[in-house]
């Protein structure tokens, strides 16, 4: 299973295995990752699954759809590297992905 | 050891347990649920779960291992039958009795029943639970005719999903517009056109007099008109589940009355979610909401207060609904608006409707417009006066509205 690392604002890191086909958000919830809230359960309607993608991973991800980029603009402190983790589907190509959890969601 | 008992294992009940542990509560937590399943999300039941896109194991709020890992006891298929707020005890369906330090009532709501002749025929359903969704899912076979009674969000979502599964679908609405209870006539008109354009029949001002059939439903008798149907789903709203609170003498008024702290009229008894009526300082009145956001945030508020951090729930409501290719996102409550402003194009399924009252922005309905929705979630609590001309002007980004 692809291994994905979540780094908290204080630097604490957790690497978890997420099954192919799930979203990164679902994997975060399953593994109790602090800071990934996911109020809308993956409907791309809340932005509370927002994370920053580590620099060297930015290009490995398919670009966000309009519905995602619109939400991100108004997420908590959006950056170039911002993504909604409920819109990232896990594949083998994401093995090793590193994400930074924002200090707040909204 | 302090003990929190949670009555109801839905969105709010599950979130209360999660938030209590996140807040560092180290007492005993017992979640008692009438349903056999651990807390799950209801929104997919009319959307991707019903269409078969989302597997069953993906609808749960947390994996079952979460509860054991965090020492949360689940008593499922075991409803709370009685509460004694003075003695601080509850009695469960299985006869067991438990004492609590704090109690959270999170009993949700139940579908309003349509009581007409023939309403007990086979293949007539309501949608609230996973079990309901499974039964409806089995009945939604391509080529069949589905009649949806009630043009609310859930009914329209079922219509959209069923259409996608290859059924012939008719929405039957008693009022002269769909979504009449929740939005403006302009939005009702838009959604009726959108459904019709995608092949759904929409019958307005049509009240169901009876269902007819031979064991299973075959026709919906609407007086002047009879609509053939192999499957019927009734979605005419919900009633708050207040029976437990009422019989315990806790104040109810179309919902369990709570304050901003989610506290009920009984000491050490809180309530959260669909079952409550709560004050909203942004709106300046009390209301009852049926939304995930409300369930989650009230749960978080009740949990924080139980864990010893005084917290108030005072946020702008928001809600979403997915139908066909239309992503509807709503923020605020449009009730009582005097001005409505459109930004974007209905024909292109790409627009937002802003609602103003005395010049103040109070709500938005956004279709495929996440920026307008998100901007309003942040703006509405500030009660901003915004020029309608500016709101309609697409050359001004939403970031510059405040
Ligand atoms: C099909 C469908 C689609 C929806 N779509 C959306 C959407 O897109 N967006 C949105 O924001 N909202 C949506 N909603 C609404 C949302 O799901 C609810 O507002 C939310 O689930 C409310 O959570 P709750 O915990 O208050 O109630 P519930 O989730 O209903 O949970 C209450 C639980 O308590 C149990 N219970 C009742 N009495 C007792 C008792 N005495 N003892 C123990 N247990 C008891 C019930 O069996 C139930 O399991 C939808 C609802 C449905 C049904
Ligand atoms: S979970 Fe709500 S936007 Fe991702």
């Amino acid at each position: 299973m692809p291994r994905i690392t979540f780094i908290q604002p204080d630097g604490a890191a957790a690497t978890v295995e997420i099954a192919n086909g799930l979203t990164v958000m679902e994997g975060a919830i399953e593994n109790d990752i602090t800071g990934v809230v996911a109020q809308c359960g993956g409907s791309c309607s809340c932005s509370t699954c927002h994370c920053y993608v580590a620099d060297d991973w930015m290009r490995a991800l398919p670009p966000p759809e309009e519905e995602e980029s619109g939400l991100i603009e108004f997420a908590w402190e959006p950056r170039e590297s911002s993504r909604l983790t409920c819109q990232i589907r896990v594949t083998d190509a994401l093995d090793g992905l590193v994400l930074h959890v924002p200090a707040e969601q909204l | 050891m302090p003990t929190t008992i949670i009555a109801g294992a839905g969105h709010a009940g599950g979130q209360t347990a999660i938030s209590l542990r996140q807040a560092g509560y180290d007492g005993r937590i017992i979640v008692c649920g009438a349903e056999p399943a651990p807390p799950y999300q209801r929104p997919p039941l009319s959307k991707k779960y019903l269409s078969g896109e989302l597997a069953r194991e993906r609808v749960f709020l947390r994996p079952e291992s979460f509860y054991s890992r965090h020492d949360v006891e689940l008593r499922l298929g075991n409803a709370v039958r009685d509460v004694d707020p003075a003695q601080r005890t509850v009695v469960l369906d299985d006869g067991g009795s438990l004492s609590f330090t704090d109690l959270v009532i999170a009993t949700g709501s139940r579908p309003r029943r349509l009581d007409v002749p023939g309403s007990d025929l086979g293949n007539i359903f309501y949608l609230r639970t996973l079990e309901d969704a499974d039964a409806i899912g089995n009945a939604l076979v391509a080529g069949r005719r589905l009649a949806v009674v009630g043009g609310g969000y859930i009914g329209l979502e079922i219509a959209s999903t069923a259409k996608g599964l290859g059924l012939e679908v008719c929405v039957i609405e008693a009022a002269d517009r769909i979504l009449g209870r929740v939005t403006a006539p302009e939005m009702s008109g838009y959604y009726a056109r959108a459904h019709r354009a995608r092949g759904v029949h929409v019958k307005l001002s049509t009240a169901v007099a009876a269902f007819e059939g031979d064991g299973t439903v075959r026709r919906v008798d609407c007086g002047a008109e009879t609509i053939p149907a192999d499957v019927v789903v009734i979605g005419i709203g919900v009633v708050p589940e207040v029976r437990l609170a009422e019989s315990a003498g806790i104040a109810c008024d179309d919902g369990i009355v709570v304050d901003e702290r989610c506290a009920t009229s009984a000491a050490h008894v809180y309530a959260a979610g669909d079952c409550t009526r709560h004050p909203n300082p942004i709106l300046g009145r009390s209301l009852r909401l049926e939304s995930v956001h409300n369930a989650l945030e009230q749960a978080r508020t009740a949990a924080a207060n139980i864990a010893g951090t005084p917290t108030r729930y005072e946020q702008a409501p928001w809600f979403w609904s997915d139908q066909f290719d239309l992503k509807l996102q709503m923020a605020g409550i449009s009730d009582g608006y005097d001005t409505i402003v459109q930004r974007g194009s209905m024909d292109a399924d790409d627009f937002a409707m802003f609602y103003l009252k005395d010049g103040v922005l109070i709500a938005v309905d956004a279709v495929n417009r996440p920026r307008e929705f998100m901007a309003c979630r942040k703006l509405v609590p500030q009660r901003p006066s915004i020029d309608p001309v500016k709101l309609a002007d697409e050359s001004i980004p939403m970031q510059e509205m405040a």
Side-chain angles (χ1 to χ4, degrees), chain B residues 146-163:
Chain B
L146 168 71
V148 174
V149 180
Y153 289 122
I154 292 178
L156 294 177
E157 288 181 350
I158 295 167
S160 139
T161 301
K163 192 70 204 167

Side-chain angles (χ1 to χ4, degrees), chain A residues 25 38-49 71 84-87:
Chain A
M25 176 280 283
Q39 286 188 327
C40 77
S43 290
C44 203
S45 285
C46 72
S47 90
T48 63
C49 62
L71 283 191
L84 299 181
T85 52
C86 71
Q87 301 303 306

Side-chain angles (χ1 to χ4, degrees), chain B residues 111-374:
Chain B
R112 188 184 300 283
R113 298 273 149 180
L114 180 65
D115 194 15
V116 296
S119 54
D120 53 355
L121 285 168
N123 275 358
I124 299 181
F125 302 99
Y126 293 85
L127 177 53
R128 183 74 196 171
T129 65
L130 259 176
E131 226 175 318
D132 297 336
D134 289 337
I136 295 171
N138 286 334
L140 293 185
V141 176
R144 282 190 176 171
R145 293 161 305 184
L146 168 71
V148 174
V149 180
Y153 289 122
I154 292 178
L156 294 177
E157 288 181 350
I158 295 167
S160 139
T161 301
K163 192 70 204 167
L165 291 170
L167 283 86
E168 195 182 312
V169 182
C170 182
V171 173
I172 304 169
E173 169 58 56
D176 61 0
R177 61 184 181 104
I178 55 174
L179 299 173
R181 218 167 40 89
V182 286
T183 193
E186 287 85 344
M187 289 298 290
S188 300
Y190 167 77
Y191 267 96
R193 288 194 301 279
H195 273 260
R196 285 176 177 142
R198 289 161 181 80
V200 173
H201 303 279
V202 179
K203 307 259 181 202
L204 303 175
S205 307
T206 305
V208 173
F211 298 107
E212 295 164 0
D214 42 16
T216 46
V217 69
R218 292 289 167 224
R219 288 171 303 279
V220 186
D221 171 4
C222 302
E225 193 177 359
T226 297
I227 297 163
D230 310 301
V231 185
V232 170
V233 182
I234 301 171
I236 53 170
V238 296
V239 287
E241 183 53 88
V242 299
R243 289 178 289 199
L244 187 63
E246 224 161 39
S247 65
I250 293 167
C252 294
D253 169 20
D254 181 36
I256 303 169
V257 177
V258 296
D259 62 16
E260 286 94 339
R261 300 161 49 248
C262 295
T264 69
S265 64
H268 298 283
V269 180
Y270 297 80
D274 277 16
C275 63
T276 70
R277 167 170 295 277
H278 66 278
N280 184 304
I282 301 170
L283 306 171
R285 63 183 172 90
S286 81
L287 77 170
R288 190 164 63 73
L289 290 172
E290 297 145 18
S291 78
V292 165
H293 169 248
N294 178 64
L296 296 180
E297 288 301 315
Q298 284 198 313
R300 219 162 55 95
T301 304
N305 286 313
I306 290 169
T309 309
T311 302
R312 298 157 75 86
Y313 169 55
E314 30 198 17
Q315 299 183 17
W318 62 270
F319 186 78
W320 76 93
S321 173
D322 299 333
Q323 299 161 46
F324 297 107
D325 51 335
L326 311 172
K327 203 162 191 62
L328 173 62
Q329 297 166 321
M330 296 151 270
I333 298 279
S334 59
D335 268 15
Y337 70 92
D338 53 34
T339 307
I340 183 165
V341 181
Q342 183 179 331
R343 178 180 169 101
S345 155
M346 284 191 176
D347 289 339
D349 301 315
D350 180 32
F351 69 97
M353 293 298 235
F354 300 101
Y355 302 89
L356 295 100
K357 187 182 181 188
D358 303 323
V360 174
L361 176 72
I362 56 169
V364 70
D365 287 334
V367 175
N368 297 333
R369 284 279 175 138
R371 289 173 184 83
E372 282 73 3
F373 162 67
M374 285 296 278

